[in-house]
Amino acid sequence: MNDIKRVDPGGGDRSAVPDAQVNIAGYRIGFVDGLSASLCEEVADLAQRGIAGYCDDRPVSASLVRSRLTNALTGAPPVLVVARDGSGALAGWCAVRRPEPGEPRARLWGPVVAPPARRTGLGQRLLERVVAAVEWPLVTTDVPLDRPGAADFFTGAGWRVLHTVTVLHRPAPCGPTARFDRLVTAEEVEDLAGYVARAAQRFGGHAPASAQATLDRWRDDARFRPENLLLDPSTGSLLLALAQRNAATSELLLAEVWGTPAARPRLIKAALALADQNTLDAVRAVTRDDPAPFVAGGMSVLGTCHLFASPDEQQPGHGSTSDPAQGGPACP
């Protein structure tokens, strides 16, 4: 099966060729071939404005956009459709990151629409265009329930809830950094790939082929730093923390916590102390598991998000039912 049904020719970051001169409420819609530096800046700016004030709010940068939309293992660019107004300014975008080997679904990002273009049908058109261009089953990134109309947008389009995740947050501390038992970091382990693969299989539920590629995917993330991958060798547990900064703010995302019940609180407390030591503004976590260990570590529940599966996918039983490759925080 071909992975792309139909992709219209792109004309660069500021001049995407419209799909048969499609215009929606005065906005030109078309596909682009790649991620130029200027386009990544535009996409990041619009994404940041779209999430501001909701539970999925976090720092977004051009480097983060490039690393999250590009396939980590193959380097293939996303299937990306954009909309521009009469002046050429970016009014909306929607993208699909191509699936990696072993992933049952590709990841949908967006649609993201500028405030002046909302309630014009532009978001629906962007979604329709990018979905029609690919043949993979799709799963959304985190769709926050506190954003008016966001979940209804997907349910109205026939998408079904695949997972529900809890978003937790902790602002910068006012007092001294808490003490914690020192853990090993990725910099101190010789066979890091083997350690991560074993943890991915044991705690993350990943198949062997997917587990072996886990570290490669993490390293391709613009936020990855070896010193922020915390390990507990006595239990084989780990916590992946991703630091992100932009011009306005910063955060530490607790992206993956794989471990025994006894190790998880230690890992979380160590990560919170790591954020304090690096003077990051906030700590965020997104989990499908019981949030109690995060709350015990001093974090508060901020909200809830759904992840939606595309309507053309069969009900559970299609592909992987546990879907471990999509189990982490979808909207970093």
Side-chain angles (χ1 to χ4, degrees), residues 1-322:
M1 176 171 60
N2 295 329
D3 57 357
I4 301 293
K5 295 178 183 176
R6 180 179 70 260
V7 176
D8 305 314
D13 60 326
R14 295 290 297 186
S15 57
V17 175
D19 173 20
Q21 299 298 317
V22 166
N23 282 268
I24 299 294
Y27 298 100
R28 297 176 294 111
I29 300 177
F31 288 88
V32 293
D33 290 330
L35 292 171
S36 69
S38 57
L39 180 58
C40 287
E41 291 284 357
E42 289 182 292
V43 167
D45 177 69
L46 190 53
Q48 188 74 79
R49 286 186 282 150
I51 62 178
Y54 299 107
C55 71
D56 60 338
D57 194 355
R58 72 276 191 195
V60 182
S61 66
S63 61
L64 180 63
V65 165
R66 181 179 298 279
S67 69
R68 300 309 293 149
L69 295 187
T70 302
N71 185 289
L73 299 185
T74 67
V79 179
L80 173 63
V81 63
V82 302
R84 295 191 179 278
D85 64 19
S87 69
L90 186 66
W93 62 271
C94 192
V96 170
R97 185 182 67 200
R98 303 167 191 262
E100 297 162 3
E103 282 189 311
R105 301 176 180 89
R107 180 75 72 177
L108 176 80
W109 300 78
V112 180
V113 176
R118 292 173 187 167
R119 302 188 183 280
T120 64
L122 181 59
Q124 181 179 356
R125 183 58 174 164
L126 289 169
L127 179 65
E128 290 171 351
R129 288 299 302 132
V130 80
V131 169
V134 303
E135 292 185 347
W136 308 295
L138 299 175
V139 60
T140 66
T141 53
D142 302 344
V143 178
L145 300 189
D146 65 339
R147 182 181 299 145
D152 291 342
F153 175 83
F154 284 100
T155 56
W159 294 55
R160 66 179 178 87
V161 175
L162 182 66
H163 300 302
T164 299
V165 297
T166 302
V167 182
L168 299 103
H169 180 267
R170 194 213 65 175
C174 299
T177 299
R179 295 180 58 85
F180 66 96
D181 295 333
R182 184 184 180 280
L183 298 171
V184 175
T185 71
E187 298 174 304
E188 305 169 68
V189 174
E190 290 185 7
D191 182 20
L192 179 60
Y195 187 105
V196 171
R198 289 189 294 272
Q201 289 182 258
R202 179 182 175 188
F203 301 114
H206 289 248
S210 175
Q212 291 296 327
T214 299
L215 184 58
D216 290 335
R217 288 195 295 270
W218 291 353
R219 283 171 168 159
D220 193 66
D221 193 306
R223 302 165 293 181
F224 178 81
R225 299 291 183 274
E227 61 271 23
N228 293 344
L229 177 52
L230 306 178
L231 312 177
D232 186 29
S234 64
T235 63
S237 305
L238 66 80
L239 183 149
L240 172 66
L242 301 172
Q244 171 67 6
R245 300 177 186 268
N246 64 11
T249 187
S250 61
E251 74 160 18
L252 189 71
L253 170 65
L254 309 190
E256 301 283 3
V257 185
W258 294 343
T260 64
R264 289 170 65 87
R266 292 199 302 270
L267 290 164
I268 292 169
K269 290 179 180 179
L272 295 176
L274 183 67
D276 300 343
Q277 292 167 4
N278 288 277
T279 62
L280 296 169
D281 294 332
V283 181
R284 183 169 60 95
V286 182
T287 181
R288 284 175 21 209
D289 300 326
D290 182 0
F294 298 93
V295 174
M299 302 187 72
S300 300
V301 173
L302 190 61
T304 303
C305 297
H306 286 331
L307 281 73
F308 290 88
S310 52
D312 58 345
E313 183 182 355
Q314 299 174 10
Q315 293 297 312
H318 174 98
S320 170
T321 56
S322 61

